[in-house]
Amino acid sequence: MSDQAELPRYTPEQFAADGLTECDMIMKGGITSGVVYPYAVLEIATRHRLRSLGGTSAGAIAAAFAAAAEFARRGGDPAGYVRLQERCDALPELLPGLFQPDPVLAPAVDAAREVAALRRGAGAVAAYVWRHAGLAALACGAGAALLAWWLGGELASVVLAALLALFAALVGLAVRQVLTRLIRPLRRAVRDAETHGFGFCPGPTQPGSAGPGLTDWLHASLQYIAFGDEARGAPLTFGDLAGKEGQTPIELRMVTTNLSMRRPHTLPRLGVTAGFEPERWARLFPAAVMDHLTATCAPWKVQPGTLLFPAESALPVIVAVRMSLSFPVLFTTVELHVDDHELPKVLKSLGAPPSRQVRKAHFSDGGLSSNFPVHLFDAPLPSRPTFAFSRDALDWDPAGVRRRVALPDSAAQGTGGRIKRIEDLATFGWQVLDSAKDWQDQLTSQLAGQRERVVHIYLDTDEGGLNLSMPPERSRQLMRYGLEAGQAFNASFDFDEHRWRRLVVFYKAMGQKLDALASGWPEFAQWYAGYRQQVRSFKAIPAGERADMAVNLDALLAAWTAGPRVRTEARSFPRTPVRERINPDY
C-alpha cells in the first residue's frame, strides 16, 4: 500500500450485509499507536459481526469504539461504523491536544520537556543557557567593560573584565534558571505525587485548553458512535452491550493493573469489594458519567464517603477504558478503596489482634501486566476466529522495507522471538520492563495455532508510542497500516486451517497431561480412597460426589490409555513445547 494512498470512505450499506460471520478481536496497547486500529476494525466489520472485543490501554480504546459501533449495528443502525470513522478521522489533528496536564503540574511538564531536550547533547545545553541567560549575561559583560574603562583600565583589562563578567553571569543565571524552571517544579511534582494520583494528566479537559481532554473526547465519541448523540445523558454501559433477552451479546473486556495488589483485573468484573470517592472520581470523569454513578452505586457503609464500585451491567464503558489506559506518570491512576481480606488473616497468624482493613489501591495501565491479552476469549477448540493486532518495533531502517504489515500464513512463520539491539541505558531499561510484563503474551503468540491469527504492524521510533505530538499526516499513515492489517485478515485468513492447527496443539498438550495423569493416578487413587471420607476442607462436596470424582477419572484415563496411540512427540507435531496447566482467572 502506498504511503500516500487515500483512506477509503465507508457507507452504512457496507456494514448492513446479511450472512456476516462472527469474529473476536484483540488489540495490543501502545498509547498513540492506537491510531492504527480504527481502519482495521472498519475493514473487519465489513465481513464480520464483532462478537467479543478486548484490549489494553490504547487497544482498550479501540475495542470500546468497535463495541459501540457493533452495538449500534445490532440495534439496526449500521451507520455507527461510519460515525466511528468520522470520529477517528478527526483524531490526527486532535491527538497532540488530548494529553492535558493538571494546571498545577504544568510547570513540571514543561520542565520535563526541557530536561528531555537537554539530553540531545552539549549543543542543546549551550542553546538552553544562551536562550535563558544570554542577553542578561551580555548586559553584565557590557556593564563590567564600561566600569573597567571608566576606572581607566587598558583595553586588555576591559576585555578581561567583560569576559569574566559574561562568564560569571552565564553560570549564575543558568544555575538560577535550572533551579527555578527545572528542579523546583519537578521536586514539587515528586513531593505531591500521591495527591495528584502519580500522574500529570487526569484525563478531562483542563482550564485554559483549546480543545477537549482525552477522557471527555472518548466519552463523547462513545456516545456518538453508539447512539448518534454525543450529548446523550446516560453513558454506554456493559449492560447495554450485553443486550436484552434474545439479542446476541457483545462481550467487551479490558485489562487494568492493580498496582497496590500487584495483579491484573479484567473489567467489567473487578473481583474484589471496593468503593470510590465521588469527589476524587469527579476529577477523572465527565459530569454525566458521575451522575450515572451516583444514581446507580450504593453507599459503602464500611468506608464512609465512598460508593461501591458499579455492578458489571451498570459499569460505564468509559470508566473501564480510563482504568485500562492509565499509562504510568503520563496519566493519573484511578483510585479505589479495597477491602483487604488478607491482612487480618496475616495478623492473626502472627499473633496480632486482627482488624478489618480498607486500603486505597491505585489502578494503572493494563499493559503493565498484560499488554496483549490474546487469551481473553480463547476456547481450546474455537468456533469463530479471533483476530489479534500487535504493533511492534520495526528496529530497522524504514527505507529498507517495502511494507509494515505482516500476517503469518504458513505454519513455519512467526515461530521465534526477535532479538532487540540494546545499545544504551534507556533501551536497557525499557527491555527490562517489557520482558517482565510481556513474556507470557510474547511466547503465547508464537505458538502454532496462535501465530497465524496475529497480524504484526511494525512502527518506527517516531511513530506511535510516546510520540504525543505526531504530525497529522504521520497519524494518518499509521491508520493506513491498520487498514492494510484488516485487509490482510479479510483476504488470507484461513479459519479451517487455523482450527486444524489449534486441534493439533490442543491434542498434543492434553495428551501429555493425560499421560502424566495415567502414570500417577493408580497410587494417587489408592490414597484418595482412604482420605476422601476425612477431608477437612470443601466439606460441602457430598461424600457421593467425592467418590464419583474418582470414578470419572478412572473412566477418562481408561478410555485414553485404551485408545489408539498417536505419537505426539514425533517431529510431525509442532516442536514448540506446550503445557496445559491451571491458571488463575483474572
Side-chain angles (χ1 to χ4, degrees):
M1 178 177 293
S2 168
D3 284 354
Q4 302 304 320
E6 288 296 322
L7 291 166
R9 311 312 307 164
Y10 294 93
T11 64
E13 291 72 24
Q14 290 176 269
F15 305 99
D18 295 327
L20 298 178
T21 58
E22 292 184 340
C23 77
D24 302 337
M25 293 181 70
I26 296 292
M27 284 159 278
K28 193 175 187 177
I31 316 174
T32 63
S33 303
V35 298
V36 305
Y37 296 131
Y39 279 85
V41 169
L42 290 165
E43 275 297 300
I44 295 296
T46 62
R47 303 280 188 90
H48 302 271
R49 291 194 177 274
L50 309 185
R51 179 67 181 276
S52 299
L53 298 142
T56 295
S57 192
I61 297 174
F65 277 26
E70 188 64 32
F71 168 81
R73 175 161 66 175
R74 187 185 65 187
D77 180 15
Y81 280 102
V82 178
R83 295 194 293 272
L84 185 154
Q85 180 182 25
E86 176 189 334
R87 210 70 186 185
C88 292
D89 279 351
L91 186 56
E93 280 75 22
L94 291 172
L95 189 61
L98 294 176
F99 304 94
Q100 299 176 9
D102 186 316
V104 175
L105 296 175
V109 174
D110 294 337
R113 288 172 177 162
E114 293 193 38
V115 169
L118 294 178
R119 294 179 56 203
R120 297 172 185 166
V125 174
Y128 175 85
V129 171
W130 187 255
R131 183 169 64 253
H132 293 288
L135 290 178
L138 280 175
C140 289
L146 287 172
L147 179 62
W149 176 80
W150 183 74
L151 292 174
E154 299 179 356
L155 178 62
S157 61
V158 170
V159 172
L160 180 61
L163 290 176
L164 288 174
L166 176 66
F167 177 76
L170 275 176
V171 172
L173 290 171
V175 169
R176 181 176 181 276
Q177 187 74 15
V178 168
L179 286 173
T180 57
R181 286 182 58 91
L182 302 186
I183 294 179
R184 286 176 185 169
L186 291 172
R187 286 184 61 186
R188 192 176 300 117
V190 171
R191 182 194 64 199
D192 299 333
E194 199 276 339
T195 301
H196 296 288
F198 302 100
F200 290 113
C201 301
T205 307
Q206 298 302 298
S209 299
L214 181 60
T215 308
D216 288 344
W217 182 81
L218 290 175
H219 172 63
S221 298
L222 286 169
Q223 299 296 90
Y224 181 61
I225 294 168
F227 305 107
D229 178 10
E230 68 175 50
R232 182 180 187 269
L236 179 69
T237 66
F238 283 85
D240 293 328
L241 298 179
K244 301 175 183 177
E245 186 176 353
Q247 289 184 317
T248 302
I250 300 166
E251 187 178 14
L252 176 63
R253 297 290 181 267
M254 51 196 66
V255 179
T256 183
T257 300
N258 183 338
L259 296 178
S260 302
M261 297 179 71
R262 296 175 295 174
R263 56 156 293 183
H265 299 259
T266 301
L267 299 171
R269 181 180 178 273
L270 190 64
V272 295
T273 304
F276 63 92
E277 297 178 42
E279 183 178 350
R280 294 285 288 181
W281 272 33
R283 298 165 53 188
L284 306 180
F285 299 107
V289 175
M290 293 306 304
D291 289 344
H292 168 83
L293 292 171
T294 54
T296 58
C297 298
W300 192 17
K301 297 178 181 179
V302 173
Q303 185 73 7
T306 66
L307 300 177
L308 283 166
F309 189 79
E312 292 182 35
S313 61
L315 179 66
V317 171
I318 184 61
V319 172
V321 170
R322 178 60 177 82
M323 292 178 70
S324 183
L325 64 78
S326 304
F327 189 82
V329 182
L330 177 61
F331 284 102
T332 61
T333 60
V334 177
E335 298 173 3
L336 284 173
H337 294 269
V338 179
D339 201 348
D340 190 339
H341 293 286
E342 189 61 26
L343 182 59
K345 300 174 186 177
V346 172
L347 293 175
K348 182 178 179 180
S349 69
L350 296 177
S355 62
R356 188 169 189 174
Q357 296 288 327
V358 175
R359 296 191 168 189
K360 183 186 292 184
H362 293 271
F363 288 77
S364 189
D365 195 285
L368 296 174
S369 48
S370 184
N371 202 36
F372 191 36
V374 293
H375 65 277
L376 280 180
F377 310 117
D378 260 349
L381 302 175
S383 60
R384 58 180 180 263
T386 296
F387 300 131
F389 296 84
S390 175
R391 51 105 208 131
D392 301 288
L394 178 61
D395 202 23
W396 197 258
D397 181 4
V401 298
R402 290 183 295 173
R403 62 183 64 89
R404 297 292 196 88
V405 174
L407 176 64
D409 52 9
S410 73
Q413 287 182 313
T415 58
R418 296 169 54 211
I419 298 176
K420 173 74 174 179
R421 291 179 297 179
I422 302 177
E423 299 174 338
D424 54 56
L425 188 59
T427 305
F428 178 80
W430 280 112
Q431 286 299 104
V432 169
L433 176 63
D434 289 345
S435 298
K437 69 187 183 66
D438 292 343
W439 69 270
Q440 295 186 76
D441 297 336
Q442 174 75 19
L443 292 180
T444 299
S445 65
Q446 293 170 201
L447 290 174
Q450 298 281 351
R451 50 183 177 262
E452 70 272 6
R453 68 171 178 170
V454 180
V455 65
H456 298 270
I457 305 169
Y458 293 99
L459 305 182
D460 195 18
T461 54
D462 60 353
E463 298 173 325
L466 282 169
N467 294 293
L468 306 182
S469 301
M470 285 192 299
E473 183 49 42
R474 190 175 301 159
S475 294
R476 290 192 179 89
Q477 182 54 43
L478 268 62
M479 289 180 172
R480 295 185 188 101
Y481 298 154
L483 173 66
E484 187 176 349
Q487 291 172 337
F489 273 128
N490 281 345
S492 60
F493 183 78
D494 186 338
F495 186 45
D496 290 330
E497 178 63 20
H498 173 68
R499 296 178 82 180
W500 157 242
R501 295 178 190 177
R502 292 293 292 270
L503 174 61
V504 169
V505 173
F506 175 73
Y507 190 90
K508 177 181 178 179
M510 289 305 299
Q512 292 172 342
K513 179 66 69 176
L514 290 170
D515 285 341
L517 282 172
S519 65
W521 176 244
E523 179 182 348
F524 196 98
Q526 288 184 349
W527 161 83
Y528 181 60
Y531 188 73
R532 67 176 186 242
Q533 301 296 336
Q534 49 185 320
V535 296
R536 292 183 294 168
S537 57
F538 304 108
K539 294 181 178 181
I541 301 175
E545 291 185 14
R546 291 180 230 159
D548 289 342
M549 289 167 60
V551 172
N552 289 337
L553 283 171
D554 280 332
L556 172 65
L557 295 175
W560 171 253
T561 55
R565 305 306 296 154
V566 178
R567 296 178 56 245
T568 57
E569 74 280 1
R571 291 177 62 85
S572 54
F573 272 75
R575 283 174 282 174
T576 305
V578 293
R579 177 184 301 168
E580 282 288 332
R581 62 178 183 175
I582 298 173
N583 288 321
D585 183 10
Y586 56 85

